Amino acid sequence: MGYEKFVMDADQASMLAVLLAGVDLSENGQALDALREVGPGNHFLGCSHTQANFQSAFWRSEISDNNSFEQWESEGSLDASQRANGKWKSMLANYVEPTLDIAIDESLQDYIKVRKASFADANY
């Protein structure tokens, strides 16, 4: 296990979360307005439905590179592991510890101490 694998696994888990949410069968989800506006046999890139939905309609990996080969190459030819490496380092560098009420923290620390004392130490 390494930070890169953890980041890549989290990326895949986010894809599964979108998949498990199911298919949007609403009128907007099925792009019925676009079909009515453009009609069969034409492209939908310029229609209002596409313009309104293109940024949120598809899951996009934070690790994969969807650019052209030439752009990928000009940006350093980074593979998924290298991009994951940069991502975890950025996440760690920008981490802000959430605030926790002192009384809650003390209560949690006491609970941990009691639980640890209730069973033998096991170093697996």
Coordinates of all heavy atoms in Angstrom, one line a residue, residues 40-75:
P40 N -32.5 14.0 -35.4 CA -31.6 12.8 -35.7 C -30.6 13.2 -36.9 O -30.9 14.0 -37.8 CB -32.5 11.7 -36.1 CG -33.8 12.3 -36.5 CD -33.9 13.7 -35.7
G41 N -29.4 12.6 -36.8 CA -28.4 12.7 -37.9 C -27.6 14.0 -37.8 O -26.7 14.2 -38.6
N42 N -27.7 14.8 -36.8 CA -26.9 16.0 -36.6 C -26.1 15.9 -35.3 O -26.3 15.0 -34.5 CB -27.8 17.2 -36.5 CG -28.6 17.4 -37.8 OD1 -28.0 17.5 -38.9 ND2 -29.9 17.4 -37.8
H43 N -25.2 16.8 -35.1 CA -24.4 16.8 -33.9 C -25.0 17.7 -32.8 O -25.7 18.6 -33.1 CB -22.9 17.2 -34.2 CG -22.7 18.6 -34.4 ND1 -22.6 19.5 -33.3 CD2 -22.5 19.3 -35.5 CE1 -22.4 20.7 -33.8 NE2 -22.3 20.6 -35.1
F44 N -24.7 17.3 -31.6 CA -25.3 18.0 -30.4 C -24.4 18.9 -29.7 O -24.8 19.5 -28.7 CB -25.9 16.9 -29.5 CG -26.9 16.1 -30.1 CD1 -26.6 14.9 -30.8 CD2 -28.3 16.4 -30.0 CE1 -27.6 14.1 -31.4 CE2 -29.3 15.6 -30.5 CZ -28.9 14.5 -31.2
L45 N -23.2 19.1 -30.2 CA -22.2 19.9 -29.4 C -22.6 21.3 -29.2 O -22.3 21.9 -28.1 CB -20.8 19.8 -30.1 CG -20.2 18.4 -30.2 CD1 -18.9 18.5 -30.9 CD2 -20.0 17.9 -28.8
G46 N -23.3 21.9 -30.1 CA -23.6 23.3 -30.0 C -25.0 23.6 -29.4 O -25.4 24.8 -29.1
C47 N -25.8 22.6 -29.2 CA -27.2 22.8 -28.7 C -27.2 23.2 -27.2 O -26.3 23.0 -26.5 CB -28.1 21.6 -29.0 SG -27.9 20.2 -27.8
S48 N -28.3 23.9 -26.8 CA -28.4 24.4 -25.5 C -28.3 23.4 -24.4 O -27.7 23.6 -23.3 CB -29.6 25.3 -25.3 OG -30.8 24.5 -25.6
H49 N -28.9 22.2 -24.6 CA -28.8 21.1 -23.6 C -27.4 20.7 -23.3 O -26.9 20.6 -22.2 CB -29.6 19.9 -24.0 CG -29.6 18.8 -23.0 ND1 -28.6 17.8 -23.1 CD2 -30.3 18.5 -22.0 CE1 -28.8 17.0 -22.1 NE2 -29.8 17.4 -21.4
T50 N -26.6 20.5 -24.4 CA -25.2 20.1 -24.2 C -24.4 21.2 -23.5 O -23.7 20.9 -22.6 CB -24.6 19.8 -25.6 OG1 -25.3 18.8 -26.3 CG2 -23.1 19.4 -25.5
Q51 N -24.6 22.4 -23.9 CA -23.9 23.5 -23.3 C -24.2 23.6 -21.8 O -23.4 23.9 -21.0 CB -24.2 24.8 -24.0 CG -23.7 24.9 -25.4 CD -22.2 24.7 -25.5 OE1 -21.5 25.4 -24.8 NE2 -21.8 23.8 -26.4
A52 N -25.5 23.3 -21.4 CA -25.9 23.4 -20.0 C -25.5 22.3 -19.2 O -25.3 22.4 -18.0 CB -27.4 23.6 -20.0
N53 N -25.2 21.1 -19.8 CA -24.9 19.9 -19.0 C -23.6 19.3 -19.2 O -23.2 18.3 -18.5 CB -26.0 18.8 -19.4 CG -27.3 19.2 -18.9 OD1 -27.7 19.0 -17.7 ND2 -28.2 19.7 -19.8
F54 N -22.7 19.7 -20.1 CA -21.5 19.0 -20.5 C -20.5 18.9 -19.3 O -19.8 17.9 -19.2 CB -20.8 19.6 -21.7 CG -20.0 20.8 -21.5 CD1 -18.7 20.8 -21.2 CD2 -20.7 22.0 -21.5 CE1 -17.9 21.9 -21.0 CE2 -19.9 23.2 -21.3 CZ -18.6 23.1 -21.1
Q55 N -20.5 19.9 -18.4 CA -19.5 19.8 -17.3 C -19.9 18.8 -16.2 O -19.0 18.3 -15.5 CB -19.3 21.2 -16.7 CG -18.5 22.1 -17.6 CD -18.2 23.4 -17.0 OE1 -19.0 24.0 -16.3 NE2 -17.0 23.9 -17.3
S56 N -21.2 18.5 -16.1 CA -21.6 17.6 -15.0 C -22.2 16.3 -15.5 O -22.6 15.5 -14.7 CB -22.6 18.4 -14.1 OG -23.8 18.7 -14.9
A57 N -22.3 16.1 -16.8 CA -23.0 14.9 -17.3 C -22.2 13.6 -17.2 O -22.7 12.6 -17.1 CB -23.4 15.1 -18.7
F58 N -20.9 13.7 -17.1 CA -20.0 12.5 -17.1 C -19.1 12.6 -15.9 O -18.6 13.6 -15.5 CB -19.2 12.5 -18.4 CG -20.1 12.5 -19.6 CD1 -20.2 13.6 -20.4 CD2 -20.7 11.3 -20.0 CE1 -21.0 13.6 -21.5 CE2 -21.5 11.3 -21.1 CZ -21.7 12.5 -21.9
W59 N -18.8 11.4 -15.5 CA -17.7 11.3 -14.4 C -16.4 11.4 -15.1 O -16.1 10.9 -16.2 CB -17.8 9.9 -13.8 CG -16.7 9.6 -12.8 CD1 -16.6 10.1 -11.5 CD2 -15.5 8.9 -13.1 NE1 -15.5 9.7 -10.9 CE2 -14.7 9.0 -11.9 CE3 -14.9 8.3 -14.2 CZ2 -13.5 8.4 -11.7 CZ3 -13.7 7.7 -14.0 CH2 -12.9 7.8 -12.8
R60 N -15.5 12.2 -14.5 CA -14.2 12.4 -15.0 C -13.2 12.1 -13.9 O -13.2 12.6 -12.8 CB -14.0 13.8 -15.5 CG -14.9 14.1 -16.7 CD -14.5 15.4 -17.3 NE -13.3 15.2 -18.0 CZ -12.9 15.9 -19.0 NH1 -13.6 16.9 -19.4 NH2 -11.7 15.7 -19.6
S61 N -12.2 11.2 -14.3 CA -11.2 10.8 -13.4 C -10.3 12.0 -13.1 O -10.0 12.8 -13.9 CB -10.4 9.7 -14.0 OG -9.2 9.5 -13.2
E62 N -9.8 12.1 -11.8 CA -8.8 13.1 -11.5 C -7.4 12.6 -11.7 O -6.4 13.3 -11.6 CB -8.9 13.5 -10.0 CG -10.2 14.2 -9.7 CD -10.3 14.7 -8.3 OE1 -9.3 14.9 -7.6 OE2 -11.5 14.9 -7.8
I63 N -7.3 11.3 -12.1 CA -6.0 10.7 -12.3 C -5.7 10.4 -13.8 O -4.6 10.6 -14.3 CB -5.9 9.3 -11.6 CG1 -6.1 9.5 -10.1 CG2 -4.6 8.6 -11.8 CD1 -5.2 10.5 -9.4
S64 N -6.7 10.1 -14.5 CA -6.6 9.8 -16.0 C -6.3 11.1 -16.7 O -6.7 12.2 -16.3 CB -7.8 9.1 -16.5 OG -8.0 7.9 -16.0
D65 N -5.7 11.0 -17.9 CA -5.4 12.1 -18.7 C -6.3 11.9 -20.0 O -6.0 11.0 -20.7 CB -4.0 12.2 -19.0 CG -3.6 13.5 -19.7 OD1 -4.5 14.1 -20.4 OD2 -2.5 14.0 -19.6
N66 N -7.2 12.8 -20.2 CA -8.1 12.7 -21.4 C -7.7 13.6 -22.5 O -8.4 13.8 -23.5 CB -9.5 13.0 -21.0 CG -10.1 12.1 -19.9 OD1 -9.9 10.9 -20.0 ND2 -10.7 12.6 -18.9
N67 N -6.5 14.2 -22.4 CA -6.0 15.0 -23.5 C -5.5 14.2 -24.7 O -5.3 13.0 -24.6 CB -4.9 15.9 -22.9 CG -5.5 16.9 -21.9 OD1 -6.5 17.5 -22.1 ND2 -4.8 17.0 -20.8
S68 N -5.2 14.9 -25.7 CA -4.6 14.2 -26.9 C -3.2 13.7 -26.5 O -2.6 14.2 -25.5 CB -4.5 15.2 -28.1 OG -3.5 16.2 -27.7
F69 N -2.7 12.8 -27.3 CA -1.3 12.3 -27.1 C -0.3 13.4 -27.1 O 0.6 13.5 -26.2 CB -1.0 11.2 -28.1 CG 0.4 10.7 -27.9 CD1 0.7 9.7 -27.0 CD2 1.4 11.2 -28.7 CE1 2.0 9.2 -26.8 CE2 2.7 10.7 -28.6 CZ 3.0 9.7 -27.6
E70 N -0.5 14.3 -28.0 CA 0.5 15.4 -28.2 C 0.5 16.3 -26.9 O 1.6 16.7 -26.4 CB 0.2 16.2 -29.4 CG 0.4 15.5 -30.7 CD -0.7 14.5 -31.1 OE1 -1.8 14.6 -30.5 OE2 -0.4 13.7 -32.0
Q71 N -0.7 16.6 -26.4 CA -0.8 17.5 -25.2 C -0.2 16.7 -24.0 O 0.5 17.3 -23.2 CB -2.2 17.9 -24.9 CG -2.3 18.9 -23.8 CD -3.7 19.5 -23.6 OE1 -4.6 19.3 -24.4 NE2 -3.9 20.2 -22.6
W72 N -0.6 15.4 -23.9 CA -0.1 14.6 -22.8 C 1.5 14.6 -22.8 O 2.1 14.7 -21.8 CB -0.6 13.2 -22.9 CG 0.0 12.2 -22.0 CD1 -0.2 12.0 -20.6 CD2 1.0 11.2 -22.3 NE1 0.5 11.0 -20.1 CE2 1.3 10.5 -21.2 CE3 1.6 10.9 -23.5 CZ2 2.2 9.4 -21.1 CZ3 2.5 9.8 -23.5 CH2 2.8 9.1 -22.3
E73 N 2.0 14.4 -24.0 CA 3.5 14.3 -24.2 C 4.1 15.7 -23.8 O 5.1 15.7 -23.1 CB 3.8 13.9 -25.6 CG 5.2 13.5 -25.8 CD 5.4 12.9 -27.2 OE1 4.9 13.5 -28.2 OE2 6.0 11.9 -27.3
S74 N 3.5 16.8 -24.3 CA 4.1 18.1 -24.0 C 4.0 18.5 -22.5 O 4.8 19.3 -22.0 CB 3.4 19.2 -24.8 OG 2.1 19.4 -24.4
E75 N 3.1 17.8 -21.8 CA 2.9 18.1 -20.3 C 3.7 17.1 -19.5 O 3.5 17.1 -18.3 CB 1.4 18.1 -20.0 CG 0.7 19.3 -20.6 CD -0.8 19.2 -20.3 OE1 -1.3 18.2 -19.8 OE2 -1.5 20.2 -20.7

